[in-house]
Amino acid sequence: QLQLQESGPGLVKPSETLSLTCTVSGYSITSYSYYWAWIRQPPGKGLEWIGNIYYSGSTYYNPSLESRVSISVDTSKSQFSLTMTSMTAADTAVYYCASRLSSGWFDYWGQGTLVTVSS
Amino acid sequence: IQMTQSPSSLSASAGDRVTITCRASQDITNSLAWYQQIPGKAPKLLLYAASRLESGVPSRFSGSGSGTDYTLTVSSLQPEDSATYYCQQCYSTPWTFGQGTKVEIK
């Protein structure tokens, strides 16, 4: 079964850059069926799609975050990564990685990792 | 596309029939998914394409709707259904979610 696991720092200072990695197991990251996505959830709030990447490297970002976000893929390690610049307290959230079928829904999710932006 | 859920929260007894509504700001032609999120856990896909049940999801969950208006129904609420439920439009990017409906068991 497809499994995803996020990794990265739990604390980031304001104005710094966040880097998170998601490791995919149980399924090929080069599958034609899937896009690989990042979604976040501020404490006590709803879900926000950040962006996703196809194994070929094609990316799609939420326009609200596009200027600060980059997603990359390393097929040799079965990993994809999120980079978000100029972090502020408003970016404090649980960050999830997920698999997205071409039809648009997210069928598998990582457990999530809490990222706190604080000095 | 903006997604609006109602109600924001509800309290019901075990065995009750519960309905949650999701309205899209434009026609999304059944491109809708529903998720269940238990506190401290990742969201779990319940239904996709508005009415198709994800594998392993109990049959007491069902979905319906068309155009801009969709519903998630739990036919007989169970204690383990205490969670927040989100709809998501799968019609066009940016993919967007409703604000969530918190379901509490009395």
Side-chain angles (χ1 to χ4, degrees), chain A residues 73-117:
Chain A
V73 64
D74 185 339
T75 56
S76 68
K77 295 182 179 179
S78 287
Q79 294 177 333
F80 62 104
S81 299
L82 170 70
T83 301
M84 184 177 292
T85 62
S86 305
M87 296 286 283
T88 72
D91 296 313
T92 293
V94 175
Y95 286 74
Y96 295 101
C97 58
S99 56
R100 183 182 75 76
L101 289 160
S102 58
S103 305
W105 50 85
F106 303 96
D107 58 348
Y108 292 95
W109 298 63
Q111 64 185 22
T113 186
L114 174 62
V115 176
T116 302
V117 182

Side-chain angles (χ1 to χ4, degrees), chain B residues 34-97:
Chain B
W34 289 98
Y35 302 87
Q36 176 194 61
Q37 186 176 34
I38 293 169
K41 300 292 188 182
K44 172 189 173 183
L45 178 66
L46 295 178
L47 297 109
Y48 58 93
S51 61
R52 297 190 176 184
L53 203 64
E54 174 72 344
S55 176
V57 174
S59 59
R60 63 180 180 272
F61 291 94
S62 64
S64 63
S66 62
T68 60
D69 295 329
Y70 299 87
T71 59
L72 170 69
T73 298
V74 186
S75 61
S76 177
L77 198 65
Q78 300 300 305
E80 60 267 31
D81 299 335
S82 179
T84 299
Y85 294 83
Y86 294 94
C87 61
Q88 178 229 333
Q89 62 86 11
C90 317
Y91 184 75
S92 66
T93 56
W95 315 116
T96 46
F97 297 84

Side-chain angles (χ1 to χ4, degrees), chain B residues 2-6 21-25 87 97-99:
Chain B
Q2 191 160 359
M3 306 300 292
T4 304
Q5 287 182 234
S6 61
T21 297
C22 181
R23 174 166 287 175
S25 58
C87 61
F97 297 84
Q99 81 279 16

Side-chain angles (χ1 to χ4, degrees), chain A:
Chain A
Q1 180 166 343
L2 196 162
Q3 293 184 312
L4 304 105
Q5 178 68 57
E6 305 89 351
S7 59
L11 182 64
V12 176
K13 288 182 169 56
S15 80
E16 291 192 342
T17 296
L18 169 68
S19 294
L20 294 176
T21 295
C22 182
T23 301
V24 178
S25 60
Y27 204 84
S28 173
I29 200 169
T30 58
S31 165
Y32 294 144
S33 303
Y34 279 112
Y35 294 79
W36 307 101
W38 289 98
I39 296 161
R40 70 178 182 178
Q41 184 174 38
K45 296 189 177 181
L47 299 160
E48 180 180 35
W49 172 71
I50 298 171
N52 50 240
I53 191 166
Y54 196 52
Y55 78 93
S56 62
S58 298
T59 52
Y60 306 85
Y61 300 123
N62 191 325
S64 67
L65 297 168
E66 187 166 15
S67 64
R68 300 194 294 131
V69 167
S70 177
I71 299 175
S72 60
V73 64
D74 185 339
T75 56
S76 68
K77 295 182 179 179
S78 287
Q79 294 177 333
F80 62 104
S81 299
L82 170 70
T83 301
M84 184 177 292
T85 62
S86 305
M87 296 286 283
T88 72
D91 296 313
T92 293
V94 175
Y95 286 74
Y96 295 101
C97 58
S99 56
R100 183 182 75 76
L101 289 160
S102 58
S103 305
W105 50 85
F106 303 96
D107 58 348
Y108 292 95
W109 298 63
Q111 64 185 22
T113 186
L114 174 62
V115 176
T116 302
V117 182
S118 175
S119 56

